[in-house]
Every structure is written in structure tokens, then in C-alpha cells.
């Protein structure tokens, strides 16, 4: 669940969406392509959010409160 994994998934959805829009001339495929592009944006936004949140939490962690950080991160 790293930022790079979210970026990889986002890029895959974006390329698939553009492929559907550009190369398949059918209204259903155009709609599906735009849905893929929308999901790619959502995945990228979620990945950046999780990365920033995790980085913020890890900066505050000391050895004494490692258990609290693990709870907040869901580990």
C-alpha cells in the first residue's frame, strides 16, 4: 500500500480508459473509458492522501508510542 502502488494502478486505469475512448468507437465504451479515467484520478488522490497521512504519523512516532501509531495506521 505504498504511493507507488497507487500510482501504478492509477496509470493502468488511465491508459485503459484512454484506450477505450480513443480506439473503440462505441458510446458504451466511451462511457466506460471515462469511468476508468475517473477511477484513476480517485486512486491517485487517495494514494497521495494516504502517503501524506502516514508520513505525518510516522514523524510523530517515538519508540514509546509505537503501539498507538500502529492502531492509527491500521497495522
Amino acid at each position: 500500500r505504498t504511493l507507488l502502488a497507487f500510482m501504478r494502478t492509477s496509470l493502468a486505469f488511465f491508459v485503459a480508459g484512454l484506450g477505450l475512448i480513443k480506439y473503440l468507437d462505441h458510446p458504451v465504451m466511451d462511457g466506460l473509458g471515462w469511468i476508468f479515467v475517473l477511477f484513476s484520478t480517485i486512486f491517485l488522490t487517495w494514494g497521495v492522501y494516504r502517503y501524506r497521512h502516514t508520513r505525518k504519523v510516522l514523524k510523530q512516532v517515538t519508540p514509546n508510542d509505537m503501539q498507538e501509531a500502529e492502531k492509527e495506521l491500521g497495522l
Side-chain angles (χ1 to χ4, degrees), residues 1-54:
R1 298 183 195 239
T2 64
L3 178 61
L4 291 177
F6 278 102
M7 290 174 67
R8 179 188 63 222
T9 304
S10 174
L11 181 63
F13 270 86
F14 186 76
V15 169
L18 285 182
L20 288 173
I21 293 168
K22 178 91 173 156
Y23 296 112
L24 299 176
D25 293 333
H26 193 276
V28 173
M29 292 300 150
D30 282 347
L32 188 60
W34 284 111
I35 290 172
F36 274 41
V37 170
L38 175 67
F39 276 123
S40 76
T41 306
I42 291 169
F43 283 137
L44 184 60
T45 304
W46 182 249
V48 170
Y49 168 76
R50 281 190 49 95
Y51 171 76
R52 287 184 173 187
H53 176 71
T54 303

Side-chain angles (χ1 to χ4, degrees), residues 57-58 61-63 65-75:
V57 169
L58 289 176
V61 172
T62 63
D65 56 19
M66 183 63 103
Q67 289 177 345
E68 290 178 33
E70 287 177 350
K71 257 196 253 182
E72 186 171 342
L73 291 173
L75 300 176

